[in-house]
Amino acid sequence: MNHTKPLTPHHFAPWQDGTSKPLISFSNVSKTYGDFSAIDNVDLKIYPKEFFALLGPSGCGKTTLMRMLAGFEEASTGTIEIDGHNMKGVPANKRPVNMMFQSYALFPHLSVADNLAFGLKRSKMPKSEIDGRVEEMLRLVQLTKFAKRKPHQLSGGQKQRVALARALAKSPKLLLLDEPLGALDKKLRQETQFELVDIQEKTETTFVIVTHDQEEAMTMATRIAVMDHGKLMQVGTPDEIYEAPNSTYIADFIGDISIISGHVQDIENERATIIWDESQTPIRGSFERNVTKGTQAHFAIRPEKIQISKTEPSQGYNKIFGQVEDIAYTGNMSTYFVRLPNQKLITSQMVNDRRISQRSITWEDHVWLSWHDEAGIILAK
Amino acid sequence: MRKLSWFNTVTLSLGFAFLYLPILILIIFSFNESKLVTVWSGFSVKWYGELFKNEAFLEAAWVTLRVGIISSTLATVLGTMAAFVLVRAGKFLGRTLFSGMIYAPLVMPEVITGLSLLLLFISIGVDRGLMTIILAHATFSMCYVCVVVSSRMSQFDESLDEAALDLGCTRLDAFFSVTLPIIAPAVISGWLLSFTLSLDDLVIASFTAGPSATTLPMQIFSSVKLGVSPEINALSTILIGLVTLGVISASLSTKRVKTRKNLH
């Protein structure tokens, strides 16, 4: 999560604007195989020029949802529209959509240039323009020198770029990317993330990406849909998903988080108060709208938003005491695992702004954890 | 490379001798000067010359060639289609039965295949001749093609086909421009295999041939009944050469795919 998104303009938010027309709209879409429900009543709108990520564990239905857009799967019920047209019964080769496959699916018997020209030859593009377009795509992915190579003569990263160029060659309205960075090593993956965003902005194509890697989704996407068991759990911008998850499932799925469960004692002035342990002070914080007074609720807070100190903070709430059980030192950060008297483990993460020898907190120390009102969120479920 | 022990060397040599000595003797005697098959009297290629003057043999060779080419082409088309369905269609009703029935003729005694085809041709009133041999050969060799092609098809990444559809191909176009070029080595080796099978089949051809068409193995068999001539040795040597060539190129074309795959 240590990347910023330099290429995503802040004012781009068509999903908030009631007048903008979605490129894709799923209405009540379900897909069942016998008794098994792969997609469960999905309603979703994706807008032009979005970089939209479908995120979730394997088997959550994200790939099925993408394959429905490509035309490889039909919805059992509900309608899918692309650019205002109902896609029911429209085969894959008639859709304004192209897909970049997880295995890249480069044609092994064709050269890089012929792979790129493959789709163009089957479109209405005149022969004379095809070479120019292939040239342009090769330049876009910086593979001009490799035009005559066969796929098996390329490295993994080069294959990935050929696959991307081939899918973009026909200037589709919508590009689907199935785990596009899954086969690359970590360093190459980070570089490629920025390259993908860059290419998306240059070509002004709508991207829908399927990934199980939350960091990848956070870095690249304008919006993320988190899926589980065929349902959309939450749809929002990366910061909404991270800062304001709508359930403990989302909170737990994205990044590290500590969750404290308790009883809602009071709600006033946009703040809810939770009682959770006799010996500790109550927790007060902003809450999600389903939280009601007198019910069970869960307080979720990220490790980096918790301060750790050896002296008791002066505030009357949002502080807990415990004992340092373990410290994980990762260079720029230290993560403290603090055991509370009720045996719960809370993690706090601090930037190491001093040298390790000058650190005051060590193993077995009795410490206070504290945070301000806006640091965490109180969730109903 | 490990050196073989004397025991292994002996067993290996005996085994190979058992398999190939008769063939070796046949090849040697095809270059014999003498008209007596079993008496060596000097090197000569005259029986090869005699062979090419023998009208009956030439006629039979021409029949065999036509039967081989047409039947193996037919078998390759049918076998590839069967392989495509078996690998791609997923679990359809009767799939197990279908795949069992595709492979059954591989182990069926040739006499039975030949006899049943003969009965079929008689009952539907087809005149036996070139056409019936072609049909019979295509019938049994399509199973071999299906086995070879389906083993290649099962390693085929289906997203290649989907990519072709995604880029605007119809199903047919995707098959001819993506699937077929990729499985081509298996299809070619299937064709060579069925050509080889057709070339040396005697039993099924004897059942299904009519008086108008005699294949080379049939011709050889009938002339051997009248006594082995050095001409037959020469002809057999040529056939052995052809079959060896067919089998080797079939295995080479499959092997080439394997090495290319290892490069990935």
Short mmCIF file of all heavy atoms in Angstrom, two decimals, chain A residues 50-98:
data_model
loop_
_atom_site.label_atom_id
_atom_site.label_comp_id
_atom_site.label_asym_id
_atom_site.label_seq_id
_atom_site.Cartn_x
_atom_site.Cartn_y
_atom_site.Cartn_z
N GLU A 50 -13.14 3.94 -16.91
CA GLU A 50 -12.81 3.46 -15.57
C GLU A 50 -11.74 2.38 -15.64
O GLU A 50 -11.61 1.67 -16.65
CB GLU A 50 -14.05 2.86 -14.90
CG GLU A 50 -14.76 3.82 -13.98
CD GLU A 50 -15.55 3.10 -12.91
OE1 GLU A 50 -14.97 2.85 -11.83
OE2 GLU A 50 -16.74 2.80 -13.13
N PHE A 51 -11.00 2.24 -14.57
CA PHE A 51 -10.10 1.10 -14.38
C PHE A 51 -10.71 0.35 -13.21
O PHE A 51 -10.49 0.70 -12.05
CB PHE A 51 -8.69 1.58 -14.06
CG PHE A 51 -7.63 0.54 -14.24
CD1 PHE A 51 -6.53 0.78 -15.06
CD2 PHE A 51 -7.72 -0.69 -13.60
CE1 PHE A 51 -5.54 -0.18 -15.23
CE2 PHE A 51 -6.74 -1.64 -13.78
CZ PHE A 51 -5.65 -1.38 -14.60
N PHE A 52 -11.52 -0.64 -13.54
CA PHE A 52 -12.36 -1.27 -12.53
C PHE A 52 -11.79 -2.64 -12.15
O PHE A 52 -11.52 -3.46 -13.01
CB PHE A 52 -13.78 -1.43 -13.07
CG PHE A 52 -14.79 -1.75 -12.02
CD1 PHE A 52 -15.48 -0.73 -11.38
CD2 PHE A 52 -15.04 -3.06 -11.66
CE1 PHE A 52 -16.42 -1.03 -10.39
CE2 PHE A 52 -15.97 -3.36 -10.67
CZ PHE A 52 -16.65 -2.34 -10.04
N ALA A 53 -11.62 -2.87 -10.85
CA ALA A 53 -11.04 -4.14 -10.41
C ALA A 53 -12.09 -5.03 -9.75
O ALA A 53 -12.86 -4.57 -8.91
CB ALA A 53 -9.90 -3.89 -9.44
N LEU A 54 -12.14 -6.30 -10.18
CA LEU A 54 -12.95 -7.30 -9.49
C LEU A 54 -12.00 -8.08 -8.61
O LEU A 54 -11.09 -8.75 -9.09
CB LEU A 54 -13.62 -8.24 -10.50
CG LEU A 54 -14.66 -7.61 -11.41
CD1 LEU A 54 -14.97 -8.55 -12.56
CD2 LEU A 54 -15.92 -7.28 -10.63
N LEU A 55 -12.22 -7.96 -7.31
CA LEU A 55 -11.26 -8.51 -6.35
C LEU A 55 -11.95 -9.54 -5.48
O LEU A 55 -13.09 -9.35 -5.08
CB LEU A 55 -10.72 -7.35 -5.50
CG LEU A 55 -9.73 -7.63 -4.40
CD1 LEU A 55 -8.44 -8.17 -4.96
CD2 LEU A 55 -9.46 -6.37 -3.60
N GLY A 56 -11.24 -10.61 -5.20
CA GLY A 56 -11.82 -11.61 -4.31
C GLY A 56 -10.98 -12.87 -4.29
O GLY A 56 -10.12 -13.04 -5.14
N PRO A 57 -11.26 -13.76 -3.32
CA PRO A 57 -10.51 -15.01 -3.27
C PRO A 57 -10.90 -15.91 -4.45
O PRO A 57 -11.91 -15.66 -5.11
CB PRO A 57 -10.96 -15.63 -1.94
CG PRO A 57 -12.30 -15.04 -1.68
CD PRO A 57 -12.29 -13.67 -2.28
N SER A 58 -10.13 -16.95 -4.72
CA SER A 58 -10.46 -17.79 -5.87
C SER A 58 -11.79 -18.50 -5.60
O SER A 58 -12.09 -18.89 -4.48
CB SER A 58 -9.34 -18.79 -6.16
OG SER A 58 -9.11 -19.59 -5.03
N GLY A 59 -12.59 -18.61 -6.65
CA GLY A 59 -13.90 -19.22 -6.53
C GLY A 59 -14.98 -18.26 -6.10
O GLY A 59 -16.10 -18.66 -5.83
N CYS A 60 -14.68 -16.96 -6.04
CA CYS A 60 -15.67 -16.00 -5.57
C CYS A 60 -16.60 -15.55 -6.69
O CYS A 60 -17.59 -14.87 -6.44
CB CYS A 60 -15.00 -14.78 -4.94
SG CYS A 60 -14.19 -13.73 -6.16
N GLY A 61 -16.29 -15.91 -7.92
CA GLY A 61 -17.18 -15.56 -9.03
C GLY A 61 -16.65 -14.43 -9.89
O GLY A 61 -17.28 -14.07 -10.89
N LYS A 62 -15.49 -13.87 -9.54
CA LYS A 62 -14.99 -12.72 -10.31
C LYS A 62 -14.67 -13.08 -11.76
O LYS A 62 -14.97 -12.33 -12.68
CB LYS A 62 -13.77 -12.10 -9.62
CG LYS A 62 -12.61 -13.06 -9.38
CD LYS A 62 -11.54 -12.38 -8.53
CE LYS A 62 -10.23 -13.13 -8.49
NZ LYS A 62 -10.24 -14.44 -7.84
N THR A 63 -14.11 -14.29 -11.96
CA THR A 63 -13.77 -14.70 -13.32
C THR A 63 -15.03 -14.98 -14.14
O THR A 63 -15.11 -14.62 -15.31
CB THR A 63 -12.86 -15.94 -13.28
OG1 THR A 63 -11.77 -15.66 -12.43
CG2 THR A 63 -12.33 -16.28 -14.65
N THR A 64 -16.02 -15.59 -13.49
CA THR A 64 -17.28 -15.85 -14.18
C THR A 64 -17.92 -14.54 -14.64
O THR A 64 -18.41 -14.43 -15.77
CB THR A 64 -18.26 -16.60 -13.24
OG1 THR A 64 -17.57 -17.70 -12.67
CG2 THR A 64 -19.47 -17.10 -13.98
N LEU A 65 -17.89 -13.55 -13.77
CA LEU A 65 -18.47 -12.24 -14.10
C LEU A 65 -17.77 -11.66 -15.33
O LEU A 65 -18.40 -11.13 -16.24
CB LEU A 65 -18.32 -11.31 -12.89
CG LEU A 65 -19.34 -10.19 -12.76
CD1 LEU A 65 -20.74 -10.75 -12.63
CD2 LEU A 65 -19.02 -9.31 -11.57
N MET A 66 -16.43 -11.78 -15.35
CA MET A 66 -15.67 -11.26 -16.48
C MET A 66 -15.97 -12.04 -17.76
O MET A 66 -16.14 -11.46 -18.83
CB MET A 66 -14.18 -11.33 -16.17
CG MET A 66 -13.31 -11.11 -17.40
SD MET A 66 -11.58 -11.05 -17.02
CE MET A 66 -11.43 -9.41 -16.45
N ARG A 67 -16.06 -13.36 -17.64
CA ARG A 67 -16.33 -14.18 -18.83
C ARG A 67 -17.72 -13.92 -19.39
O ARG A 67 -17.98 -14.14 -20.57
CB ARG A 67 -16.11 -15.66 -18.51
CG ARG A 67 -14.63 -16.00 -18.30
CD ARG A 67 -14.44 -17.43 -17.82
NE ARG A 67 -14.94 -18.39 -18.78
CZ ARG A 67 -14.26 -18.81 -19.83
NH1 ARG A 67 -13.05 -18.36 -20.04
NH2 ARG A 67 -14.78 -19.68 -20.67
N MET A 68 -18.62 -13.45 -18.55
CA MET A 68 -19.95 -13.06 -19.03
C MET A 68 -19.85 -11.82 -19.93
O MET A 68 -20.56 -11.69 -20.91
CB MET A 68 -20.87 -12.73 -17.86
CG MET A 68 -21.40 -13.94 -17.17
SD MET A 68 -22.41 -13.36 -15.80
CE MET A 68 -23.07 -14.90 -15.25
N LEU A 69 -18.95 -10.91 -19.56
CA LEU A 69 -18.75 -9.72 -20.38
C LEU A 69 -18.11 -10.09 -21.72
O LEU A 69 -18.44 -9.55 -22.76
CB LEU A 69 -17.88 -8.71 -19.65
CG LEU A 69 -18.51 -7.98 -18.48
CD1 LEU A 69 -17.47 -7.13 -17.75
CD2 LEU A 69 -19.66 -7.11 -18.95
N ALA A 70 -17.19 -11.07 -21.67
CA ALA A 70 -16.48 -11.48 -22.89
C ALA A 70 -17.39 -12.26 -23.83
O ALA A 70 -17.17 -12.31 -25.03
CB ALA A 70 -15.26 -12.32 -22.53
N GLY A 71 -18.43 -12.88 -23.26
CA GLY A 71 -19.33 -13.68 -24.09
C GLY A 71 -19.03 -15.16 -24.04
O GLY A 71 -19.52 -15.92 -24.86
N PHE A 72 -18.22 -15.60 -23.05
CA PHE A 72 -17.93 -17.02 -22.93
C PHE A 72 -18.89 -17.72 -21.96
O PHE A 72 -18.89 -18.93 -21.85
CB PHE A 72 -16.49 -17.25 -22.47
CG PHE A 72 -15.47 -16.69 -23.42
CD1 PHE A 72 -14.43 -15.90 -22.97
CD2 PHE A 72 -15.57 -16.95 -24.78
CE1 PHE A 72 -13.50 -15.38 -23.85
CE2 PHE A 72 -14.65 -16.44 -25.67
CZ PHE A 72 -13.62 -15.65 -25.21
N GLU A 73 -19.65 -16.92 -21.22
CA GLU A 73 -20.66 -17.49 -20.31
C GLU A 73 -21.93 -16.68 -20.48
O GLU A 73 -21.87 -15.47 -20.72
CB GLU A 73 -20.21 -17.36 -18.84
CG GLU A 73 -18.86 -17.91 -18.50
CD GLU A 73 -18.88 -19.38 -18.14
OE1 GLU A 73 -19.99 -19.96 -18.07
OE2 GLU A 73 -17.80 -19.94 -17.94
N GLU A 74 -23.07 -17.35 -20.35
CA GLU A 74 -24.36 -16.64 -20.40
C GLU A 74 -24.90 -16.52 -18.98
O GLU A 74 -24.74 -17.44 -18.18
CB GLU A 74 -25.36 -17.44 -21.24
CG GLU A 74 -25.23 -17.24 -22.75
CD GLU A 74 -25.82 -15.92 -23.25
OE1 GLU A 74 -26.53 -15.23 -22.47
OE2 GLU A 74 -25.57 -15.59 -24.42
N ALA A 75 -25.55 -15.41 -18.69
CA ALA A 75 -26.20 -15.26 -17.38
C ALA A 75 -27.42 -16.17 -17.34
O ALA A 75 -28.10 -16.36 -18.36
CB ALA A 75 -26.60 -13.82 -17.17
N SER A 76 -27.69 -16.77 -16.17
CA SER A 76 -28.89 -17.60 -16.05
C SER A 76 -30.13 -16.71 -15.99
O SER A 76 -31.13 -16.99 -16.61
CB SER A 76 -28.82 -18.46 -14.79
OG SER A 76 -27.65 -19.23 -14.80
N THR A 77 -30.04 -15.64 -15.20
CA THR A 77 -31.12 -14.65 -15.16
C THR A 77 -30.50 -13.26 -15.11
O THR A 77 -29.33 -13.12 -14.83
CB THR A 77 -32.01 -14.83 -13.91
OG1 THR A 77 -31.16 -14.77 -12.76
CG2 THR A 77 -32.77 -16.13 -13.92
N GLY A 78 -31.32 -12.25 -15.39
CA GLY A 78 -30.84 -10.88 -15.35
C GLY A 78 -30.32 -10.44 -16.71
O GLY A 78 -30.22 -11.25 -17.63
N THR A 79 -30.00 -9.14 -16.82
CA THR A 79 -29.51 -8.65 -18.11
C THR A 79 -28.16 -7.96 -17.95
O THR A 79 -27.86 -7.33 -16.94
CB THR A 79 -30.48 -7.63 -18.73
OG1 THR A 79 -30.78 -6.63 -17.76
CG2 THR A 79 -31.75 -8.28 -19.20
N ILE A 80 -27.35 -8.12 -18.99
CA ILE A 80 -26.06 -7.45 -19.06
C ILE A 80 -26.09 -6.54 -20.28
O ILE A 80 -26.41 -6.99 -21.38
CB ILE A 80 -24.91 -8.47 -19.22
CG1 ILE A 80 -24.90 -9.45 -18.04
CG2 ILE A 80 -23.57 -7.76 -19.34
CD1 ILE A 80 -23.96 -10.61 -18.21
N GLU A 81 -25.81 -5.26 -20.07
CA GLU A 81 -25.76 -4.34 -21.19
C GLU A 81 -24.36 -3.80 -21.35
O GLU A 81 -23.70 -3.46 -20.37
CB GLU A 81 -26.74 -3.19 -20.98
CG GLU A 81 -28.18 -3.59 -21.17
CD GLU A 81 -29.14 -2.42 -21.00
OE1 GLU A 81 -28.67 -1.27 -20.84
OE2 GLU A 81 -30.35 -2.67 -21.00
N ILE A 82 -23.90 -3.71 -22.60
CA ILE A 82 -22.64 -3.03 -22.87
C ILE A 82 -22.96 -1.91 -23.85
O ILE A 82 -23.54 -2.17 -24.90
CB ILE A 82 -21.58 -3.99 -23.46
CG1 ILE A 82 -21.24 -5.08 -22.44
CG2 ILE A 82 -20.32 -3.21 -23.84
CD1 ILE A 82 -20.25 -6.12 -22.92
N ASP A 83 -22.63 -0.69 -23.46
CA ASP A 83 -22.89 0.48 -24.28
C ASP A 83 -24.36 0.57 -24.70
O ASP A 83 -24.67 0.87 -25.85
CB ASP A 83 -21.98 0.43 -25.52
CG ASP A 83 -21.70 1.83 -26.04
OD1 ASP A 83 -21.82 2.79 -25.26
OD2 ASP A 83 -21.36 1.95 -27.23
N GLY A 84 -25.24 0.22 -23.78
CA GLY A 84 -26.66 0.34 -24.05
C GLY A 84 -27.29 -0.82 -24.80
O GLY A 84 -28.50 -0.83 -25.03
N HIS A 85 -26.48 -1.82 -25.22
CA HIS A 85 -27.05 -2.95 -25.94
C HIS A 85 -27.10 -4.18 -25.05
O HIS A 85 -26.13 -4.52 -24.39
CB HIS A 85 -26.21 -3.28 -27.18
CG HIS A 85 -26.13 -2.15 -28.15
ND1 HIS A 85 -27.18 -1.79 -28.96
CD2 HIS A 85 -25.13 -1.28 -28.41
CE1 HIS A 85 -26.82 -0.75 -29.69
NE2 HIS A 85 -25.59 -0.41 -29.38
N ASN A 86 -28.25 -4.85 -25.09
CA ASN A 86 -28.39 -6.09 -24.33
C ASN A 86 -27.51 -7.16 -24.97
O ASN A 86 -27.55 -7.38 -26.17
CB ASN A 86 -29.86 -6.53 -24.35
CG ASN A 86 -30.11 -7.66 -23.38
OD1 ASN A 86 -29.19 -8.36 -22.97
ND2 ASN A 86 -31.36 -7.84 -23.01
N MET A 87 -26.68 -7.81 -24.16
CA MET A 87 -25.70 -8.75 -24.69
C MET A 87 -26.22 -10.19 -24.76
O MET A 87 -25.47 -11.10 -25.09
CB MET A 87 -24.43 -8.72 -23.83
CG MET A 87 -23.57 -7.50 -24.07
SD MET A 87 -22.84 -7.52 -25.73
CE MET A 87 -23.38 -5.94 -26.35
N LYS A 88 -27.49 -10.36 -24.43
CA LYS A 88 -28.03 -11.73 -24.44
C LYS A 88 -27.94 -12.32 -25.85
O LYS A 88 -28.42 -11.75 -26.82
CB LYS A 88 -29.47 -11.73 -23.96
CG LYS A 88 -29.97 -13.14 -23.66
CD LYS A 88 -31.31 -13.11 -22.93
CE LYS A 88 -31.86 -14.51 -22.75
NZ LYS A 88 -30.95 -15.38 -21.99
N GLY A 89 -27.29 -13.49 -25.94
CA GLY A 89 -27.20 -14.18 -27.22
C GLY A 89 -26.18 -13.61 -28.19
O GLY A 89 -26.03 -14.12 -29.29
N VAL A 90 -25.46 -12.55 -27.79
CA VAL A 90 -24.43 -12.00 -28.67
C VAL A 90 -23.14 -12.79 -28.45
O VAL A 90 -22.62 -12.82 -27.34
CB VAL A 90 -24.19 -10.49 -28.38
CG1 VAL A 90 -23.11 -9.94 -29.31
CG2 VAL A 90 -25.49 -9.72 -28.54
N PRO A 91 -22.62 -13.46 -29.51
CA PRO A 91 -21.42 -14.27 -29.30
C PRO A 91 -20.17 -13.42 -29.10
O PRO A 91 -20.16 -12.22 -29.43
CB PRO A 91 -21.31 -15.08 -30.60
CG PRO A 91 -22.01 -14.25 -31.62
CD PRO A 91 -23.10 -13.52 -30.89
N ALA A 92 -19.12 -14.06 -28.57
CA ALA A 92 -17.88 -13.35 -28.21
C ALA A 92 -17.31 -12.56 -29.40
O ALA A 92 -16.81 -11.45 -29.22
CB ALA A 92 -16.85 -14.34 -27.71
N ASN A 93 -17.41 -13.12 -30.61
CA ASN A 93 -16.78 -12.45 -31.75
C ASN A 93 -17.58 -11.26 -32.27
O ASN A 93 -17.14 -10.56 -33.17
CB ASN A 93 -16.50 -13.46 -32.88
CG ASN A 93 -17.74 -14.21 -33.31
OD1 ASN A 93 -18.78 -14.10 -32.67
ND2 ASN A 93 -17.64 -14.95 -34.38
N LYS A 94 -18.76 -11.02 -31.69
CA LYS A 94 -19.58 -9.89 -32.13
C LYS A 94 -19.64 -8.79 -31.07
O LYS A 94 -20.44 -7.88 -31.16
CB LYS A 94 -21.01 -10.37 -32.46
CG LYS A 94 -21.10 -11.35 -33.61
CD LYS A 94 -21.22 -10.60 -34.92
CE LYS A 94 -21.49 -11.47 -36.14
NZ LYS A 94 -20.86 -12.77 -36.19
N ARG A 95 -18.84 -8.91 -30.02
CA ARG A 95 -18.91 -7.92 -28.93
C ARG A 95 -17.79 -6.89 -29.03
O ARG A 95 -16.68 -7.23 -29.45
CB ARG A 95 -18.81 -8.64 -27.57
CG ARG A 95 -19.98 -9.56 -27.32
CD ARG A 95 -20.00 -10.04 -25.89
NE ARG A 95 -21.15 -10.92 -25.69
CZ ARG A 95 -21.67 -11.21 -24.51
NH1 ARG A 95 -21.15 -10.71 -23.42
NH2 ARG A 95 -22.71 -12.00 -24.41
N PRO A 96 -18.07 -5.64 -28.63
CA PRO A 96 -17.02 -4.61 -28.69
C PRO A 96 -16.05 -4.72 -27.52
O PRO A 96 -15.71 -3.75 -26.88
CB PRO A 96 -17.83 -3.31 -28.61
CG PRO A 96 -19.02 -3.68 -27.77
CD PRO A 96 -19.34 -5.12 -28.07
N VAL A 97 -15.65 -5.96 -27.25
CA VAL A 97 -14.90 -6.28 -26.04
C VAL A 97 -13.71 -7.13 -26.43
O VAL A 97 -13.85 -8.01 -27.28
CB VAL A 97 -15.79 -7.11 -25.09
CG1 VAL A 97 -15.02 -7.57 -23.88
CG2 VAL A 97 -17.02 -6.33 -24.67
N ASN A 98 -12.55 -6.89 -25.85
CA ASN A 98 -11.45 -7.82 -26.03
C ASN A 98 -10.90 -8.21 -24.68
O ASN A 98 -11.08 -7.51 -23.69
CB ASN A 98 -10.35 -7.24 -26.92
CG ASN A 98 -10.74 -7.29 -28.40
OD1 ASN A 98 -10.79 -6.28 -29.07
ND2 ASN A 98 -11.06 -8.47 -28.88
#
